[in-house]
Amino acid sequence: LRETFGAPLECFASPLNCRYTSMCSAFPDTDAVFGSLGSFFALNPESGAFQLNPPFVDDLIISMAKRIDELLQSADERR
């Protein structure tokens, strides 16, 4: 994803499994020194491609899908 689409970060990662220099993580206070930008749900990108592989928890996946929809709608409104 990084090479093909230019995805600059992982949106659900930890310092132990991240393969990028930047990531979103569940614990930004302790993970910031390892490149965490905070929670995916607080991320406000205006453009780009991103890797999302959340934990397989139904409520989290539903929340992620809603957040992606919000971000896409916001991008459409800026066009």
Side-chain angles (χ1 to χ4, degrees):
L1 292 174
R2 178 178 29 211
E3 293 173 14
T4 303
F5 297 105
L9 63 96
E10 294 182 59
C11 294
F12 292 90
S14 79
L16 299 177
N17 70 2
C18 186
R19 301 185 61 125
Y20 291 68
T21 55
S22 297
M23 66 179 166
C24 293
S25 69
F27 305 103
D29 55 337
T30 57
D31 296 346
V33 297
F34 301 105
S36 177
L37 302 174
S39 169
F40 161 72
F41 298 103
L43 189 67
N44 287 306
E46 292 190 9
S47 65
F50 303 92
Q51 179 183 345
L52 292 103
N53 185 21
F56 301 137
V57 176
D58 291 345
D59 290 341
L60 184 60
I61 293 171
I62 291 167
S63 295
M64 177 194 73
K66 288 179 181 177
R67 180 68 179 135
I68 291 170
D69 189 49
E70 291 171 2
L71 292 170
L72 291 172
Q73 285 182 21
S74 177
D76 280 346
E77 291 170 1
R78 286 192 304 273
R79 292 174 68 202

